Amino acid sequence: MTISATADEVAVGGPTESADGASTLAAAREQLAAAAARLGLDEGMHAMLSRARREMTVTVPLRRDDGSTTCYVGHRVQHNLSRGPGKGGLRFSSAVTLDEVRALAMWMTWKCALVDIPYGGAKGGVTIDPQQHSAMEIERVTRRYTSELAEFIGPERDIPAPDIGTDEQTMAWMMDTMSANRGYTVPGSVTGKPLLIGGSLGRTDATSLGVAQMALAALQHVGLRSGQTTAAVQGYGKVGRGAARFLAEAGVRVTAVSDQFGGVSNPGGFDFDALDRHVRETGTVTGFREGDPIGNDDVLQTEVDLLLPCAVEGVITAANADLVRAKAVIEGANGPTTPAADRILDHRGVLVVPDILANAGGVIVSYFEWVQANQAYWWTESDVRGRLRERMVAAWADVARTAAQAGCTLREAAMSTAVGRVAEAHRVRGLYP
């Protein structure tokens, strides 16, 4: 048997973290520090909230289809458990680092608190490029990662969900592995799984729908009507694709979209049925005949009313924030705007709907799925969407009201609300000796 290390493992499995992961964590901690200062939290409380409750790093050996063995690194970070079990996605990407997972877990804590669902924040990742592996290899990685963490995850402890590089099939493998280890089926151990084994109607496009709802709320907030507005979507994937379609159905003209390979623009808007066929056939939006080729940076700088960064962290920075020409930025991704860029956009009068509000639709419906699984009673799609809208609209109203009363940005209002709720949960529970 041959054992080899991959470039993925060497790049992210060593003792140092990438600059991107470190900067993402620094951004998350800077946001927390600002909220802690506004709330007047003492140093001890701030210190507890800035650190993860529990971190697990595991080796994930993979037996390849050719008989060789490759080792990857997996992480699971449970940032805070004071308001309930951990909740957060699992991503498969060669860019995964422990610092990145720490930041994403922290943002999950604030997101769950902001929309007032009884979860803490968690996140996981494996340093693997799924595009370089067969389905059988990805299944083996998933099951090994799950078994390594079996004592730390589950419906009462930490409930994973899909993220970048993972999907409902990944969740099915995780649930089956958890169930096999326990000796009985545990449908609440993950969310975002197939309907056939306890998934929820409305879960697949929940994040996209929530992003679109917040985008429409932002339009109203700045005095625009959806039938007379335009949008650009950076990151035409799980979240961006659905959000673009929902906005188009609401009358917003989406004039530019992009993915990791590039982008296309069409001032008249897109035929999304045709665009989606092209993406299924080619794996990218580039080369779509009904649009002109543009770069990812061009999408961020497109003159539109709404800009939706829906891909990864840190795409709007101090280097390009002055070039953003949208009236409002709706953060479909986690952490797409750096703190320095946030200040620039605020100074320029660009409204930013923060990630912990804008993309909370996914975790809200994950909560609904978990509730349904625990009760063994499933809701209709109309029920799910109606309750999602209620939660999103209530959270928007709460954040907008707080921002107006305090004279601060939507992010400052959202973070103050979320951090305050988690800090209060800490106080009520007390500190175990």
Side-chain angles (χ1 to χ4, degrees):
M1 180 175 63
T2 303
I3 298 179
S4 62
T6 66
D8 293 344
E9 182 197 7
V10 172
V12 296
T16 60
E17 300 294 334
S18 73
D20 287 342
S23 62
T24 299
L25 180 58
R29 286 178 170 165
E30 183 175 336
Q31 291 171 359
L32 169 61
R38 286 192 297 272
L39 293 166
L41 299 184
D42 61 57
E43 291 184 7
M45 179 66 73
H46 181 196
M48 282 196 298
L49 296 179
S50 68
R51 293 175 172 84
R53 172 73 174 270
R54 185 180 294 128
E55 299 178 346
M56 289 75 70
T57 295
V58 297
T59 298
V60 185
L62 166 65
R63 184 177 64 255
R64 303 292 297 267
D65 293 339
D66 63 6
S68 64
T69 299
T70 303
C71 289
Y72 294 101
V73 176
H75 305 290
R76 189 73 187 176
V77 173
Q78 295 164 357
H79 171 256
N80 191 279
L81 306 175
S82 292
R83 288 174 47 88
K87 188 77 189 79
L90 167 65
R91 63 176 52 181
F92 285 177
S93 167
S94 56
V96 164
T97 69
L98 180 55
D99 274 353
E100 176 194 48
V101 177
R102 286 167 171 158
L104 294 169
M106 184 183 295
W107 281 325
M108 283 301 302
T109 296
W110 315 140
K111 189 182 303 183
C112 292
L114 181 64
V115 295
D116 202 18
I117 55 179
Y119 286 144
K123 203 76 176 185
V126 178
T127 59
I128 185 173
D129 182 355
Q131 296 183 356
Q132 302 301 315
H133 295 273
S134 69
M136 290 296 294
E137 289 177 342
I138 294 301
E139 178 178 358
R140 289 194 286 270
V141 165
T142 301
R143 290 183 181 277
R144 183 57 183 256
Y145 172 84
T146 304
S147 65
E148 291 287 342
L149 297 176
E151 295 182 6
F152 304 99
I153 60 177
E156 306 88 5
R157 297 182 177 186
D158 178 1
I159 307 109
D163 199 87
I164 294 172
T166 58
D167 56 21
E168 64 176 21
Q169 179 60 73
T170 316
M171 296 302 106
W173 291 328
M174 290 195 78
M175 190 200 83
D176 183 67
T177 305
M178 289 288 294
S179 300
N181 286 341
R182 295 197 180 189
Y184 56 91
T185 299
V186 192
S189 58
V190 299
T191 60
K193 56 191 175 293
L195 292 175
L196 284 171
I197 55 173
S200 175
L201 293 168
R203 173 60 183 88
T204 302
D205 57 8
T207 306
S208 300
L209 181 57
V211 169
Q213 289 172 342
M214 293 301 92
L216 295 175
L219 284 177
Q220 186 176 11
H221 190 77
V222 298
L224 297 173
R225 300 176 61 181
S226 60
Q228 304 169 345
T229 52
T230 56
V233 176
Q234 185 264 344
Y236 195 73
K238 289 180 182 177
V239 176
R241 184 180 306 179
R245 188 177 285 269
F246 284 129
L247 286 177
E249 291 173 354
V252 177
R253 186 159 35 94
V254 180
T255 62
V257 299
S258 71
D259 56 29
Q260 61 180 315
F261 304 107
V264 289
S265 68
N266 186 334
F270 292 99
D271 176 346
F272 284 105
D273 289 336
L275 178 57
D276 288 347
R277 279 196 302 272
H278 174 80
V279 171
R280 285 194 298 271
E281 293 169 358
T282 67
T284 177
V285 300
T286 61
F288 182 54
R289 293 183 179 181
E290 297 179 25
D292 298 322
I294 56 174
N296 263 306
D297 290 342
D298 297 323
V299 173
L300 295 173
Q301 299 165 22
T302 301
E303 188 170 359
V304 287
D305 298 301
L306 297 171
L307 172 62
L308 281 67
C310 295
V312 294
E313 312 90 68
V315 296
I316 302 178
T317 68
N320 63 8
D322 273 327
L323 302 176
V324 171
R325 294 192 286 172
K327 296 180 178 66
V329 174
I330 318 300
E331 295 187 331
N334 293 313
T337 309
T338 67
D342 218 18
R343 291 188 287 270
I344 293 171
L345 294 175
D346 179 45
H347 180 73
R348 294 180 53 220
V350 178
L351 182 73
V352 177
V353 182
D355 48 3
I356 63 172
L357 173 60
N359 66 36
V363 75
I364 291 172
V365 178
S366 279
Y367 168 56
F368 295 163
E369 180 180 335
W370 180 74
V371 168
Q372 293 170 78
N374 290 339
Q375 295 177 337
Y377 181 82
W378 277 265
W379 307 344
T380 66
E381 186 166 3
S382 177
D383 286 336
V384 171
R385 289 197 171 189
R387 294 177 186 187
L388 169 61
R389 178 173 179 79
E390 287 176 4
R391 291 267 181 170
M392 294 297 294
V393 169
W396 166 267
D398 192 18
V399 170
R401 181 175 56 254
T402 300
Q405 292 173 348
C408 64
T409 67
L410 294 179
R411 190 186 309 281
E412 290 168 339
M415 284 293 297
S416 294
T417 299
V419 174
R421 287 174 178 171
V422 177
E424 185 61 22
H426 270 289
R427 292 192 187 102
V428 170
R429 291 182 60 151
L431 185 62
Y432 188 71

